[in-house]
Amino acid sequence: MRERDGTSEGTPYVGWDIGGAHVKACRVARGRVQAVRQWACPLWQGLDQLDAVLQAAQQHWPDLARVHHAVTMSGEMVDAFAHREDGVMAIAQRMAALPGQSLRFYAGEAGWPALETLRPAWQAVASANWLATAAVAARAVGSGMLVDIGSTTTDIIALRGGDVRALGRTDAGRLATGELVYLGVARTPVCVLARQVPFAGLLRNVMNEFFATTADVYRLTGELLAEHDQYPAADGGAKDLDGSCQRLARLIGLDGRDADLPAWRALAHTWRQAQLDWTAEQVDRVSRQAGLPADAPLVAAGCGQFLVEALGRMMNRPVHRLNTVAFSMASDATPDTATWADVCAPSVAVACLCAQEDAACGS
């Protein structure tokens, strides 16, 4: 990049993904990922939750006044806002309080509006974080399926010929096409995964109560990393094996003490398979809609990457981790940074896309 606003080509970009439950941020300089962070942010409780995260970010990166900010979001959907337009504008106003060289919002094909020109473009900005990730993935792999499984949702996006081939653009549209699935590996109520489960030789109905989350399932399978498990358990209890067993037991009218750990682990694997089966069905659906071959590779992102890898084995599809094909890491980046780049993929994507846009424009 050339000079921009008096800054050198080494000026960092910070990409932000403002979700309803987490804020994710990535710092990129000279085209390479330097650092990635995630903060829990229950935005449905109010904008003060976002304010607290932004204060923490300024303490973590005290030189934010010299960076360019690129923002994407999905948090406008939370019920703290009267409607999505209100949410987009309220989040944008809060982001404008950050010190920095510039502040722009990702609007996909509509470009990068600044705060002053945001309102006419709010629909393109709303919940466009998946599109940023998909755009970067498409450039990197050409054709395949982006499967980003997070704590709450799963994005399933067809990529073909280096382009994003999504049929839907809004959350409503993507729910209708199978490209958005409200299943994640931490915050999803387990009761939505199946109406009945086998346990101790009997097929049992499931209590449709918020007794357990998918974090309980993946704690018992040993696949969910503790640092990706940032929210309290459904009952506010211990996030350990005993607590997870007790919560899963409640769903079938039992107590944790009514069976041993191997039995509860087997039940957890039943729930895991139910999530895999439903996700695989949607992957097939999206793939057929896009005319992709049945062996098109999956590009894995999110804290539920382990499930994408399991999907690949189940569906006989190759799997590529997004960070290995799309994100350049700084020479001193740790494996932990690479993992977090996948978990926080939209924030990495908008930082990279914004920097590339400026470079192409000679800014």
Side-chain angles (χ1 to χ4, degrees), residues 8-249:
S8 71
E9 65 177 9
T11 300
Y13 285 71
V14 174
W16 300 87
D17 179 16
I18 313 300
H22 298 92
V23 169
K24 302 169 183 178
C26 171
R27 186 180 178 111
V28 170
R30 301 184 187 275
R32 301 182 73 80
V33 175
Q34 293 184 326
V36 188
R37 289 295 304 266
Q38 175 176 282
W39 293 268
C41 181
L43 193 55
W44 62 88
Q45 295 179 6
L47 282 164
D48 59 319
Q49 299 292 325
L50 178 56
D51 294 338
V53 167
L54 297 181
Q55 289 174 8
Q58 290 180 72
Q59 292 173 358
H60 183 68
W61 289 318
D63 66 339
L64 284 184
R66 74 182 191 90
V67 312
H68 300 297
H69 297 287
V71 181
T72 188
M73 66 179 74
S74 60
E76 79 285 345
M77 290 290 294
V78 303
D79 52 15
F81 304 121
H83 45 69
R84 290 176 299 127
E85 180 181 358
D86 178 40
V88 168
M89 297 309 300
I91 290 169
Q93 290 287 352
R94 284 309 209 271
M95 297 303 295
L98 280 173
Q101 293 292 313
S102 64
L103 172 69
R104 283 165 288 174
F105 298 87
Y106 179 70
E109 298 90 339
W112 291 90
L115 180 63
E116 304 78 41
T117 57
L118 179 58
R119 190 173 292 277
W122 76 265
Q123 288 178 300
V125 171
S127 292
N129 54 353
W130 64 273
L131 183 57
T133 307
V136 169
R139 293 179 187 181
V141 303
S143 296
M145 300 279 295
L146 172 67
V147 183
D148 185 344
I149 302 180
S151 65
T152 311
T153 62
T154 296
D155 294 310
I156 304 170
I157 310 300
L159 317 170
R160 195 171 68 194
D163 294 325
V164 178
R165 297 301 179 97
L167 296 180
R169 276 296 187 267
T170 65
D171 278 356
R174 294 194 306 124
L175 286 167
T177 60
E179 294 161 334
L180 174 59
V181 180
Y182 255 76
L183 295 178
V185 296
R187 298 183 61 247
T188 299
V190 174
C191 61
V192 307
L193 296 177
R195 293 181 179 179
Q196 296 177 317
V197 290
F199 187 80
L202 297 173
L203 187 62
R204 301 167 187 258
N205 290 344
V206 174
M207 292 185 178
N208 288 320
E209 294 281 359
F210 185 56
F211 284 149
T213 64
T214 44
D216 293 307
V217 170
Y218 298 112
R219 286 188 209 108
L220 286 172
T221 66
E223 294 170 298
L224 181 64
L225 298 179
E227 54 266 35
H228 301 161
D229 183 10
Q230 293 185 309
Y231 271 82
D235 60 358
K239 297 197 294 186
D240 57 14
L241 294 181
D242 287 343
S244 292
C245 291
Q246 175 66 13
R247 286 184 286 272
L248 290 185

